[in-house]
Amino acid sequence: MAKVLILGGGFGGVVAAKRLAEQLSDEHQITLVSRSRYFVFYPALVRLAFGKCQREDISFDLRHAMLDRRVNFIEAEVARIDTYERKVSIAHGEVEGKLPYDYLVFALGRRLATERISGFYEHAHHLLNVDKAIKFGKAIANFHEGRAVIGQCVGARLPIPVYETAFALAKRLEENDERDRVRITIVSPDAIGSEFGDSDVGLTLQKALQQHQIEFVSGFPIEKVTEHAAFTSSGQSINFDLLMLMPPFQGASAALYQGITNEAYINVDWSMRVIGVQGCTP
Ligand SMILES: Cc1cc2nc3c(=O)[nH]c(=O)nc-3n(C[C@H](O)[C@H](O)[C@H](O)COP(=O)(O)OP(=O)(O)OC[C@H]3O[C@@H](n4cnc5c(N)ncnc54)[C@H](O)[C@@H]3O)c2cc1C
């Protein structure tokens, strides 16, 4: 009998659990560990911020879903993995101590490295979890004039919610007859649409932004945020009355100090196997 341990209850962990439960015979034990018992459908967070859906519409209870698939679910915080001993240390939660495994699926997602941007925590909104999206939604509801700056920091790797937010805000203001009272600016370290690696996407975006009078400022790598302005390292600045930023991302810290990560993420081969250890797949 093999013990398969899956860390993380997001898309990666849940799909891995489902597939393994379908393909492995009953003698093998599959366990999923995640800090929250709720799966969140991240692509709907912009809709949540704009009041188009509710918290309960975009999440489901993992424990029930996993039970149906004969996967044990443990709600707990993973502290670190030990790939030599093949054990995972749990910081706190429904179990304590170390969980042994024969095979490990590492799907803890990314960590928000907000500490890399001075003042981010105090002065910027983001919408990368349910609570933050709802908080940003309240700020939008109270925002009727001034300048909204929406953007991504270096290393954010998530452009879609930036454009989606800018378009949703423009639409909301148009519907409320407030569009001419608000200037909307997208800031990015990169050129328009370059994140998508397709020049046609860039052109289409450019047209749509112009249509909705949304400015795009490229080559703007934000390094510091104060109450009403964002700054780059070269001293450029932009003022705002409302700021929503995608922070830099980094790999989850539980895999650090095992010699399996580069600066930010786990090193994997073409089949997503972790390079240098047996039985570990992110
Ligand atoms: C607003 C938004 C819009 C998006 N839109 C799209 C889109 O349109 N199309 C698309 O393809 N992708 C989109 N994405 C990206 C997509 O959601 C991610 O790529 C995907 O969620 C990554 O899945 P994951 O399982 O790797 O990580 P995650 O979804 O981040 O899951 C990680 C899981 O691990 C848990 N966890 C983390 N650390 C610990 C710990 N120490 N202990 C225990 N549990 C822990 C977390 O609670 C979480 O359950 C969007 C993301 C956002 C935020």
Side-chain angles (χ1 to χ4, degrees), residues 7-13 33-36 38 42-46 76-79 107-110 127-128 158 160-161 164 246 252 254:
L7 307 181
F11 280 114
V33 182
S34 197
R35 67 160 61 108
S36 161
Y38 294 101
Y42 285 124
L45 285 172
V46 176
E77 178 76 22
V78 173
L108 293 179
R110 69 242 170 312
L127 45 67
L128 295 170
L158 198 58
I160 292 174
E164 205 183 338
M246 289 291 143

Side-chain angles (χ1 to χ4, degrees), residues 66-105:
M66 289 300 119
L67 262 183
D68 286 351
R69 301 191 162 97
R70 72 169 187 84
V71 175
N72 304 313
F73 176 76
I74 298 175
E75 187 171 3
E77 178 76 22
V78 173
R80 65 188 300 267
I81 53 171
D82 185 332
T83 53
Y84 299 101
E85 277 195 40
R86 294 195 179 208
K87 285 184 178 157
V88 168
S89 304
I90 300 297
H92 54 83
E94 289 177 338
V95 298
E96 278 178 18
K98 295 185 175 181
L99 294 173
Y101 65 82
D102 298 305
Y103 295 94
L104 183 71
V105 179

Side-chain angles (χ1 to χ4, degrees), residues 199-213:
S199 55
D200 286 349
V201 175
L203 283 174
T204 308
L205 263 176
Q206 199 165 11
K207 274 188 206 153
L209 292 176
Q210 274 167 4
Q211 216 174 353
H212 291 278
Q213 293 168 313

Side-chain angles (χ1 to χ4, degrees), residues 102-119:
D102 298 305
Y103 295 94
L104 183 71
V105 179
F106 191 94
L108 293 179
R110 69 242 170 312
R111 186 176 81 73
L112 308 185
T114 50
E115 72 281 356
R116 283 198 223 150
I117 310 294
S118 161

